[in-house]
mmCIF file of all heavy atoms in Angstrom:
data_model
loop_
_atom_site.group_PDB
_atom_site.id
_atom_site.type_symbol
_atom_site.label_atom_id
_atom_site.label_comp_id
_atom_site.label_asym_id
_atom_site.label_seq_id
_atom_site.Cartn_x
_atom_site.Cartn_y
_atom_site.Cartn_z
ATOM 1 N N HIS A 78 78.793 49.262 27.237
ATOM 2 C CA HIS A 78 78.818 48.517 28.500
ATOM 3 C C HIS A 78 78.323 49.329 29.679
ATOM 4 O O HIS A 78 78.245 48.840 30.799
ATOM 5 C CB HIS A 78 80.289 48.078 28.810
ATOM 6 C CG HIS A 78 80.871 47.246 27.725
ATOM 7 N ND1 HIS A 78 81.729 47.754 26.806
ATOM 8 C CD2 HIS A 78 80.683 45.946 27.412
ATOM 9 C CE1 HIS A 78 82.071 46.789 25.948
ATOM 10 N NE2 HIS A 78 81.443 45.694 26.314
ATOM 11 N N LEU A 79 78.013 50.615 29.491
ATOM 12 C CA LEU A 79 77.588 51.548 30.545
ATOM 13 C C LEU A 79 78.660 51.648 31.619
ATOM 14 O O LEU A 79 78.374 51.864 32.801
ATOM 15 C CB LEU A 79 76.258 51.116 31.174
ATOM 16 C CG LEU A 79 75.059 51.067 30.242
ATOM 17 C CD1 LEU A 79 73.800 50.714 31.025
ATOM 18 C CD2 LEU A 79 74.867 52.350 29.472
ATOM 19 N N LEU A 80 79.923 51.525 31.190
ATOM 20 C CA LEU A 80 81.044 51.729 32.116
ATOM 21 C C LEU A 80 81.705 53.054 31.762
ATOM 22 O O LEU A 80 81.676 53.509 30.631
ATOM 23 C CB LEU A 80 82.057 50.580 31.967
ATOM 24 C CG LEU A 80 81.574 49.233 32.521
ATOM 25 C CD1 LEU A 80 82.570 48.148 32.189
ATOM 26 C CD2 LEU A 80 81.379 49.316 34.023
ATOM 27 N N PRO A 81 82.325 53.683 32.745
ATOM 28 C CA PRO A 81 82.920 55.007 32.519
ATOM 29 C C PRO A 81 84.139 54.982 31.602
ATOM 30 O O PRO A 81 84.862 53.994 31.557
ATOM 31 C CB PRO A 81 83.341 55.452 33.915
ATOM 32 C CG PRO A 81 82.656 54.581 34.871
ATOM 33 C CD PRO A 81 82.399 53.300 34.160
ATOM 34 N N PHE A 82 84.312 56.080 30.877
ATOM 35 C CA PHE A 82 85.603 56.401 30.329
ATOM 36 C C PHE A 82 85.927 57.810 30.772
ATOM 37 O O PHE A 82 85.058 58.670 30.884
ATOM 38 C CB PHE A 82 85.746 56.144 28.827
ATOM 39 C CG PHE A 82 84.888 56.952 27.882
ATOM 40 C CD1 PHE A 82 85.363 58.132 27.306
ATOM 41 C CD2 PHE A 82 83.638 56.484 27.496
ATOM 42 C CE1 PHE A 82 84.618 58.838 26.390
ATOM 43 C CE2 PHE A 82 82.890 57.180 26.577
ATOM 44 C CZ PHE A 82 83.365 58.376 26.028
ATOM 45 N N ILE A 83 87.176 57.999 31.143
ATOM 46 C CA ILE A 83 87.640 59.210 31.806
ATOM 47 C C ILE A 83 88.867 59.743 31.094
ATOM 48 O O ILE A 83 89.766 58.965 30.785
ATOM 49 C CB ILE A 83 87.985 58.895 33.272
ATOM 50 C CG1 ILE A 83 86.749 58.329 33.997
ATOM 51 C CG2 ILE A 83 88.542 60.135 33.983
ATOM 52 C CD1 ILE A 83 87.075 57.636 35.308
ATOM 53 N N GLY A 84 88.889 61.010 30.853
ATOM 54 C CA GLY A 84 90.067 61.553 30.159
ATOM 55 C C GLY A 84 90.059 63.050 30.098
ATOM 56 O O GLY A 84 89.507 63.720 30.984
ATOM 57 N N LYS A 85 90.665 63.548 29.020
ATOM 58 C CA LYS A 85 90.732 64.989 28.843
ATOM 59 C C LYS A 85 90.606 65.330 27.365
ATOM 60 O O LYS A 85 91.007 64.547 26.480
ATOM 61 C CB LYS A 85 91.994 65.569 29.437
ATOM 62 C CG LYS A 85 93.281 64.931 29.001
ATOM 63 C CD LYS A 85 94.432 65.441 29.828
ATOM 64 C CE LYS A 85 95.695 64.600 29.555
ATOM 65 N NZ LYS A 85 96.821 64.988 30.376
ATOM 66 N N ALA A 86 90.034 66.508 27.146
ATOM 67 C CA ALA A 86 89.853 66.996 25.781
ATOM 68 C C ALA A 86 90.742 68.199 25.576
ATOM 69 O O ALA A 86 90.921 69.007 26.525
ATOM 70 C CB ALA A 86 88.398 67.348 25.522
ATOM 71 N N HIS A 87 91.258 68.340 24.394
ATOM 72 C CA HIS A 87 92.006 69.526 23.963
ATOM 73 C C HIS A 87 91.240 70.098 22.788
ATOM 74 O O HIS A 87 91.007 69.375 21.795
ATOM 75 C CB HIS A 87 93.413 69.165 23.531
ATOM 76 C CG HIS A 87 94.154 68.314 24.513
ATOM 77 N ND1 HIS A 87 94.632 68.783 25.720
ATOM 78 C CD2 HIS A 87 94.466 67.000 24.473
ATOM 79 C CE1 HIS A 87 95.230 67.777 26.379
ATOM 80 N NE2 HIS A 87 95.124 66.678 25.654
ATOM 81 N N VAL A 88 90.813 71.341 22.875
ATOM 82 C CA VAL A 88 89.949 71.958 21.875
ATOM 83 C C VAL A 88 90.630 73.244 21.380
ATOM 84 O O VAL A 88 91.065 74.063 22.190
ATOM 85 C CB VAL A 88 88.553 72.287 22.462
ATOM 86 C CG1 VAL A 88 87.689 72.948 21.399
ATOM 87 C CG2 VAL A 88 87.886 71.019 22.997
ATOM 88 N N ALA A 89 90.684 73.408 20.065
ATOM 89 C CA ALA A 89 91.246 74.608 19.461
ATOM 90 C C ALA A 89 90.349 75.095 18.347
ATOM 91 O O ALA A 89 89.665 74.289 17.701
ATOM 92 C CB ALA A 89 92.639 74.341 18.922
ATOM 93 N N TYR A 90 90.351 76.405 18.138
ATOM 94 C CA TYR A 90 89.679 76.955 16.974
ATOM 95 C C TYR A 90 90.400 78.233 16.549
ATOM 96 O O TYR A 90 91.137 78.840 17.317
ATOM 97 C CB TYR A 90 88.203 77.204 17.249
ATOM 98 C CG TYR A 90 87.883 78.280 18.246
ATOM 99 C CD1 TYR A 90 87.534 79.580 17.842
ATOM 100 C CD2 TYR A 90 87.897 78.026 19.610
ATOM 101 C CE1 TYR A 90 87.223 80.556 18.762
ATOM 102 C CE2 TYR A 90 87.611 78.999 20.534
ATOM 103 C CZ TYR A 90 87.259 80.282 20.092
ATOM 104 O OH TYR A 90 86.972 81.246 21.018
ATOM 105 N N ILE A 91 90.215 78.593 15.286
ATOM 106 C CA ILE A 91 90.776 79.815 14.724
ATOM 107 C C ILE A 91 89.628 80.764 14.457
ATOM 108 O O ILE A 91 88.821 80.526 13.544
ATOM 109 C CB ILE A 91 91.579 79.493 13.433
ATOM 110 C CG1 ILE A 91 92.717 78.518 13.777
ATOM 111 C CG2 ILE A 91 92.131 80.800 12.850
ATOM 112 C CD1 ILE A 91 93.454 78.022 12.561
ATOM 113 N N PRO A 92 89.521 81.835 15.275
ATOM 114 C CA PRO A 92 88.372 82.741 15.182
ATOM 115 C C PRO A 92 88.314 83.495 13.836
ATOM 116 O O PRO A 92 89.341 83.764 13.212
ATOM 117 C CB PRO A 92 88.573 83.709 16.328
ATOM 118 C CG PRO A 92 89.656 83.135 17.188
ATOM 119 C CD PRO A 92 90.447 82.217 16.336
ATOM 120 N N THR A 93 87.108 83.826 13.462
ATOM 121 C CA THR A 93 86.858 84.684 12.286
ATOM 122 C C THR A 93 85.926 85.807 12.696
ATOM 123 O O THR A 93 84.809 85.909 12.176
ATOM 124 C CB THR A 93 86.254 83.860 11.121
ATOM 125 O OG1 THR A 93 85.050 83.245 11.599
ATOM 126 C CG2 THR A 93 87.213 82.853 10.579
ATOM 127 N N GLY A 94 86.361 86.633 13.666
ATOM 128 C CA GLY A 94 85.554 87.758 14.085
ATOM 129 C C GLY A 94 84.850 87.620 15.408
ATOM 130 O O GLY A 94 84.392 88.577 15.980
ATOM 131 N N LYS A 95 84.766 86.386 15.904
ATOM 132 C CA LYS A 95 84.089 86.140 17.176
ATOM 133 C C LYS A 95 84.831 85.070 17.968
ATOM 134 O O LYS A 95 85.357 84.103 17.388
ATOM 135 C CB LYS A 95 82.645 85.680 16.962
ATOM 136 C CG LYS A 95 81.791 86.729 16.287
ATOM 137 C CD LYS A 95 80.321 86.464 16.544
ATOM 138 C CE LYS A 95 79.447 87.482 15.907
ATOM 139 N NZ LYS A 95 79.404 88.750 16.564
ATOM 140 N N VAL A 96 84.892 85.285 19.284
ATOM 141 C CA VAL A 96 85.469 84.258 20.182
ATOM 142 C C VAL A 96 84.395 83.807 21.146
ATOM 143 O O VAL A 96 83.488 84.557 21.506
ATOM 144 C CB VAL A 96 86.726 84.799 20.946
ATOM 145 C CG1 VAL A 96 87.866 85.037 19.993
ATOM 146 C CG2 VAL A 96 86.391 86.028 21.746
ATOM 147 N N LEU A 97 84.520 82.586 21.569
ATOM 148 C CA LEU A 97 83.571 81.965 22.474
ATOM 149 C C LEU A 97 84.047 82.135 23.896
ATOM 150 O O LEU A 97 85.240 82.006 24.188
ATOM 151 C CB LEU A 97 83.499 80.471 22.114
ATOM 152 C CG LEU A 97 82.478 79.601 22.850
ATOM 153 C CD1 LEU A 97 81.051 80.108 22.638
ATOM 154 C CD2 LEU A 97 82.599 78.157 22.321
ATOM 155 N N GLY A 98 83.121 82.437 24.840
ATOM 156 C CA GLY A 98 83.479 82.548 26.241
ATOM 157 C C GLY A 98 84.197 81.296 26.703
ATOM 158 O O GLY A 98 83.788 80.174 26.355
ATOM 159 N N LEU A 99 85.274 81.464 27.420
ATOM 160 C CA LEU A 99 86.170 80.378 27.808
ATOM 161 C C LEU A 99 85.431 79.186 28.429
ATOM 162 O O LEU A 99 85.624 78.031 28.058
ATOM 163 C CB LEU A 99 87.250 80.894 28.732
ATOM 164 C CG LEU A 99 88.240 79.901 29.274
ATOM 165 C CD1 LEU A 99 89.009 79.214 28.157
ATOM 166 C CD2 LEU A 99 89.210 80.565 30.238
ATOM 167 N N SER A 100 84.580 79.459 29.410
ATOM 168 C CA SER A 100 83.898 78.346 30.105
ATOM 169 C C SER A 100 82.954 77.597 29.186
ATOM 170 O O SER A 100 82.620 76.423 29.438
ATOM 171 C CB SER A 100 83.126 78.854 31.307
ATOM 172 O OG SER A 100 81.997 79.606 30.920
ATOM 173 N N LYS A 101 82.532 78.222 28.109
ATOM 174 C CA LYS A 101 81.582 77.567 27.218
ATOM 175 C C LYS A 101 82.223 76.389 26.480
ATOM 176 O O LYS A 101 81.546 75.399 26.157
ATOM 177 C CB LYS A 101 81.016 78.568 26.195
ATOM 178 C CG LYS A 101 80.328 79.760 26.817
ATOM 179 C CD LYS A 101 79.289 79.376 27.856
ATOM 180 C CE LYS A 101 78.625 80.615 28.440
ATOM 181 N NZ LYS A 101 77.627 80.275 29.435
ATOM 182 N N VAL A 102 83.515 76.459 26.213
ATOM 183 C CA VAL A 102 84.206 75.329 25.575
ATOM 184 C C VAL A 102 84.126 74.109 26.484
ATOM 185 O O VAL A 102 83.737 73.013 26.051
ATOM 186 C CB VAL A 102 85.664 75.675 25.237
ATOM 187 C CG1 VAL A 102 86.409 74.481 24.684
ATOM 188 C CG2 VAL A 102 85.746 76.876 24.273
ATOM 189 N N ALA A 103 84.418 74.272 27.767
ATOM 190 C CA ALA A 103 84.329 73.171 28.740
ATOM 191 C C ALA A 103 82.894 72.688 28.905
ATOM 192 O O ALA A 103 82.650 71.491 29.001
ATOM 193 C CB ALA A 103 84.907 73.622 30.090
ATOM 194 N N ARG A 104 81.963 73.623 28.876
ATOM 195 C CA ARG A 104 80.541 73.213 29.004
ATOM 196 C C ARG A 104 80.053 72.408 27.793
ATOM 197 O O ARG A 104 79.248 71.511 27.927
ATOM 198 C CB ARG A 104 79.654 74.440 29.220
ATOM 199 C CG ARG A 104 79.876 75.093 30.566
ATOM 200 C CD ARG A 104 78.979 76.337 30.735
ATOM 201 N NE ARG A 104 79.388 77.135 31.857
ATOM 202 C CZ ARG A 104 79.048 76.882 33.131
ATOM 203 N NH1 ARG A 104 78.298 75.851 33.418
ATOM 204 N NH2 ARG A 104 79.435 77.681 34.094
ATOM 205 N N ILE A 105 80.569 72.751 26.616
ATOM 206 C CA ILE A 105 80.214 71.988 25.415
ATOM 207 C C ILE A 105 80.793 70.580 25.546
ATOM 208 O O ILE A 105 80.084 69.571 25.259
ATOM 209 C CB ILE A 105 80.704 72.709 24.146
ATOM 210 C CG1 ILE A 105 79.863 73.945 23.889
ATOM 211 C CG2 ILE A 105 80.679 71.748 22.958
ATOM 212 C CD1 ILE A 105 80.415 74.879 22.813
ATOM 213 N N VAL A 106 82.025 70.434 25.993
ATOM 214 C CA VAL A 106 82.627 69.127 26.212
ATOM 215 C C VAL A 106 81.757 68.336 27.182
ATOM 216 O O VAL A 106 81.388 67.185 26.918
ATOM 217 C CB VAL A 106 84.082 69.239 26.747
ATOM 218 C CG1 VAL A 106 84.591 67.883 27.213
ATOM 219 C CG2 VAL A 106 84.978 69.840 25.662
ATOM 220 N N ASP A 107 81.376 68.942 28.291
ATOM 221 C CA ASP A 107 80.543 68.252 29.299
ATOM 222 C C ASP A 107 79.185 67.846 28.765
ATOM 223 O O ASP A 107 78.711 66.740 29.052
ATOM 224 C CB ASP A 107 80.357 69.149 30.533
ATOM 225 C CG ASP A 107 81.566 69.243 31.413
ATOM 226 O OD1 ASP A 107 82.484 68.405 31.247
ATOM 227 O OD2 ASP A 107 81.589 70.127 32.287
ATOM 228 N N MET A 108 78.552 68.728 27.985
ATOM 229 C CA MET A 108 77.211 68.405 27.494
ATOM 230 C C MET A 108 77.231 67.121 26.687
ATOM 231 O O MET A 108 76.364 66.258 26.869
ATOM 232 C CB MET A 108 76.658 69.542 26.660
ATOM 233 C CG MET A 108 75.280 69.256 26.074
ATOM 234 S SD MET A 108 74.618 70.563 25.058
ATOM 235 C CE MET A 108 75.547 70.343 23.527
ATOM 236 N N TYR A 109 78.197 66.981 25.786
ATOM 237 C CA TYR A 109 78.243 65.773 24.957
ATOM 238 C C TYR A 109 78.825 64.557 25.723
ATOM 239 O O TYR A 109 78.414 63.432 25.474
ATOM 240 C CB TYR A 109 79.053 66.044 23.681
ATOM 241 C CG TYR A 109 78.275 66.952 22.743
ATOM 242 C CD1 TYR A 109 78.684 68.255 22.521
ATOM 243 C CD2 TYR A 109 77.135 66.507 22.095
ATOM 244 C CE1 TYR A 109 77.985 69.087 21.706
ATOM 245 C CE2 TYR A 109 76.399 67.337 21.263
ATOM 246 C CZ TYR A 109 76.838 68.626 21.050
ATOM 247 O OH TYR A 109 76.118 69.455 20.239
ATOM 248 N N ALA A 110 79.747 64.826 26.655
ATOM 249 C CA ALA A 110 80.329 63.718 27.427
ATOM 250 C C ALA A 110 79.281 63.116 28.356
ATOM 251 O O ALA A 110 79.325 61.907 28.652
ATOM 252 C CB ALA A 110 81.523 64.199 28.228
ATOM 253 N N ARG A 111 78.342 63.896 28.815
ATOM 254 C CA ARG A 111 77.315 63.431 29.745
ATOM 255 C C ARG A 111 76.134 62.788 29.034
ATOM 256 O O ARG A 111 74.961 63.011 29.337
ATOM 257 C CB ARG A 111 76.840 64.561 30.658
ATOM 258 C CG ARG A 111 77.873 65.096 31.591
ATOM 259 C CD ARG A 111 78.348 64.073 32.564
ATOM 260 N NE ARG A 111 79.284 64.673 33.534
ATOM 261 C CZ ARG A 111 79.626 64.109 34.655
ATOM 262 N NH1 ARG A 111 79.153 62.931 34.970
ATOM 263 N NH2 ARG A 111 80.475 64.686 35.457
ATOM 264 N N ARG A 112 76.458 61.991 28.042
ATOM 265 C CA ARG A 112 75.525 61.181 27.283
ATOM 266 C C ARG A 112 76.153 59.810 27.083
ATOM 267 O O ARG A 112 77.371 59.713 27.166
ATOM 268 C CB ARG A 112 75.212 61.820 25.924
ATOM 269 C CG ARG A 112 74.589 63.172 26.045
ATOM 270 C CD ARG A 112 74.374 63.840 24.691
ATOM 271 N NE ARG A 112 73.803 65.172 24.847
ATOM 272 C CZ ARG A 112 73.406 65.945 23.879
ATOM 273 N NH1 ARG A 112 73.541 65.528 22.632
ATOM 274 N NH2 ARG A 112 72.867 67.137 24.126
ATOM 275 N N LEU A 113 75.382 58.802 26.801
ATOM 276 C CA LEU A 113 75.948 57.510 26.464
ATOM 277 C C LEU A 113 76.696 57.694 25.151
ATOM 278 O O LEU A 113 76.128 58.198 24.198
ATOM 279 C CB LEU A 113 74.856 56.441 26.375
ATOM 280 C CG LEU A 113 74.041 56.228 27.640
ATOM 281 C CD1 LEU A 113 72.991 55.142 27.407
ATOM 282 C CD2 LEU A 113 74.931 55.873 28.821
ATOM 283 N N GLN A 114 77.970 57.276 25.110
ATOM 284 C CA GLN A 114 78.838 57.682 24.014
ATOM 285 C C GLN A 114 79.840 56.602 23.599
ATOM 286 O O GLN A 114 80.103 55.675 24.349
ATOM 287 C CB GLN A 114 79.715 58.872 24.501
ATOM 288 C CG GLN A 114 79.080 60.203 24.496
ATOM 289 C CD GLN A 114 78.876 60.743 23.065
ATOM 290 O OE1 GLN A 114 79.096 60.059 22.078
ATOM 291 N NE2 GLN A 114 78.382 61.958 22.985
ATOM 292 N N ILE A 115 80.402 56.844 22.456
ATOM 293 C CA ILE A 115 81.711 56.257 22.097
ATOM 294 C C ILE A 115 82.607 57.439 21.873
ATOM 295 O O ILE A 115 82.184 58.519 21.435
ATOM 296 C CB ILE A 115 81.647 55.292 20.905
ATOM 297 C CG1 ILE A 115 81.199 55.955 19.622
ATOM 298 C CG2 ILE A 115 80.819 54.067 21.232
ATOM 299 C CD1 ILE A 115 81.329 55.068 18.399
ATOM 300 N N GLN A 116 83.869 57.268 22.165
ATOM 301 C CA GLN A 116 84.801 58.388 22.155
ATOM 302 C C GLN A 116 84.911 58.997 20.750
ATOM 303 O O GLN A 116 85.045 60.217 20.621
ATOM 304 C CB GLN A 116 86.179 57.936 22.671
ATOM 305 C CG GLN A 116 87.188 59.043 22.765
ATOM 306 C CD GLN A 116 88.497 58.599 23.388
ATOM 307 O OE1 GLN A 116 88.475 57.717 24.249
ATOM 308 N NE2 GLN A 116 89.595 59.167 22.969
ATOM 309 N N GLU A 117 84.864 58.180 19.742
ATOM 310 C CA GLU A 117 84.991 58.673 18.362
ATOM 311 C C GLU A 117 83.884 59.687 18.043
ATOM 312 O O GLU A 117 84.138 60.740 17.441
ATOM 313 C CB GLU A 117 84.934 57.504 17.352
ATOM 314 C CG GLU A 117 86.048 56.508 17.502
ATOM 315 C CD GLU A 117 85.737 55.333 18.459
ATOM 316 O OE1 GLU A 117 84.907 55.524 19.380
ATOM 317 O OE2 GLU A 117 86.337 54.276 18.291
ATOM 318 N N ASN A 118 82.651 59.347 18.435
ATOM 319 C CA ASN A 118 81.531 60.265 18.186
ATOM 320 C C ASN A 118 81.599 61.525 19.064
ATOM 321 O O ASN A 118 81.274 62.594 18.610
ATOM 322 C CB ASN A 118 80.190 59.554 18.403
ATOM 323 C CG ASN A 118 79.920 58.494 17.377
ATOM 324 O OD1 ASN A 118 80.583 58.399 16.355
ATOM 325 N ND2 ASN A 118 78.931 57.670 17.649
ATOM 326 N N LEU A 119 82.012 61.338 20.296
ATOM 327 C CA LEU A 119 82.154 62.486 21.210
ATOM 328 C C LEU A 119 83.100 63.515 20.635
ATOM 329 O O LEU A 119 82.832 64.692 20.622
ATOM 330 C CB LEU A 119 82.659 61.982 22.577
ATOM 331 C CG LEU A 119 83.002 63.044 23.604
ATOM 332 C CD1 LEU A 119 81.781 63.897 23.935
ATOM 333 C CD2 LEU A 119 83.527 62.401 24.861
ATOM 334 N N THR A 120 84.225 63.067 20.080
ATOM 335 C CA THR A 120 85.201 63.948 19.517
ATOM 336 C C THR A 120 84.604 64.743 18.359
ATOM 337 O O THR A 120 84.767 65.988 18.279
ATOM 338 C CB THR A 120 86.456 63.173 19.020
ATOM 339 O OG1 THR A 120 86.861 62.305 20.084
ATOM 340 C CG2 THR A 120 87.588 64.089 18.628
ATOM 341 N N ARG A 121 83.892 64.088 17.487
ATOM 342 C CA ARG A 121 83.225 64.717 16.339
ATOM 343 C C ARG A 121 82.134 65.701 16.802
ATOM 344 O O ARG A 121 82.040 66.806 16.272
ATOM 345 C CB ARG A 121 82.633 63.649 15.413
ATOM 346 C CG ARG A 121 81.707 64.183 14.340
ATOM 347 C CD ARG A 121 82.355 65.093 13.337
ATOM 348 N NE ARG A 121 83.351 64.408 12.549
ATOM 349 C CZ ARG A 121 84.025 64.960 11.563
ATOM 350 N NH1 ARG A 121 83.844 66.228 11.264
ATOM 351 N NH2 ARG A 121 84.954 64.300 10.910
ATOM 352 N N GLN A 122 81.344 65.321 17.782
ATOM 353 C CA GLN A 122 80.264 66.179 18.253
ATOM 354 C C GLN A 122 80.802 67.486 18.796
ATOM 355 O O GLN A 122 80.263 68.580 18.547
ATOM 356 C CB GLN A 122 79.419 65.456 19.304
ATOM 357 C CG GLN A 122 78.602 64.341 18.753
ATOM 358 C CD GLN A 122 78.048 63.432 19.821
ATOM 359 O OE1 GLN A 122 78.407 63.499 20.997
ATOM 360 N NE2 GLN A 122 77.167 62.530 19.418
ATOM 361 N N ILE A 123 81.893 67.433 19.569
ATOM 362 C CA ILE A 123 82.495 68.636 20.134
ATOM 363 C C ILE A 123 83.016 69.540 19.006
ATOM 364 O O ILE A 123 82.754 70.751 18.987
ATOM 365 C CB ILE A 123 83.620 68.279 21.127
ATOM 366 C CG1 ILE A 123 83.012 67.561 22.343
ATOM 367 C CG2 ILE A 123 84.399 69.538 21.544
ATOM 368 C CD1 ILE A 123 84.077 66.865 23.229
ATOM 369 N N ALA A 124 83.735 68.952 18.072
ATOM 370 C CA ALA A 124 84.271 69.723 16.939
ATOM 371 C C ALA A 124 83.180 70.403 16.147
ATOM 372 O O ALA A 124 83.255 71.600 15.835
ATOM 373 C CB ALA A 124 85.157 68.840 16.066
ATOM 374 N N ASP A 125 82.156 69.646 15.799
ATOM 375 C CA ASP A 125 81.045 70.185 15.008
ATOM 376 C C ASP A 125 80.329 71.311 15.775
ATOM 377 O O ASP A 125 79.933 72.320 15.163
ATOM 378 C CB ASP A 125 80.038 69.105 14.643
ATOM 379 C CG ASP A 125 80.569 68.135 13.573
ATOM 380 O OD1 ASP A 125 81.589 68.461 12.904
ATOM 381 O OD2 ASP A 125 79.976 67.048 13.387
#
Side-chain angles (χ1 to χ4, degrees):
H78 303 101
L79 300 183
L80 290 172
F82 64 93
I83 300 164
K85 52 190 170 184
H87 311 286
V88 179
Y90 67 99
I91 300 172
T93 55
K95 296 200 180 284
V96 293
L97 185 59
L99 177 61
S100 71
K101 303 308 181 180
V102 176
R104 291 178 193 279
I105 289 169
V106 169
D107 284 346
M108 178 181 77
Y109 290 109
R111 294 297 185 165
R112 299 176 181 186
L113 300 179
Q114 280 289 6
I115 61 173
Q116 185 174 328
E117 298 90 334
N118 291 348
L119 175 59
T120 310
R121 169 63 66 178
Q122 290 165 350
I123 295 165
D125 288 345

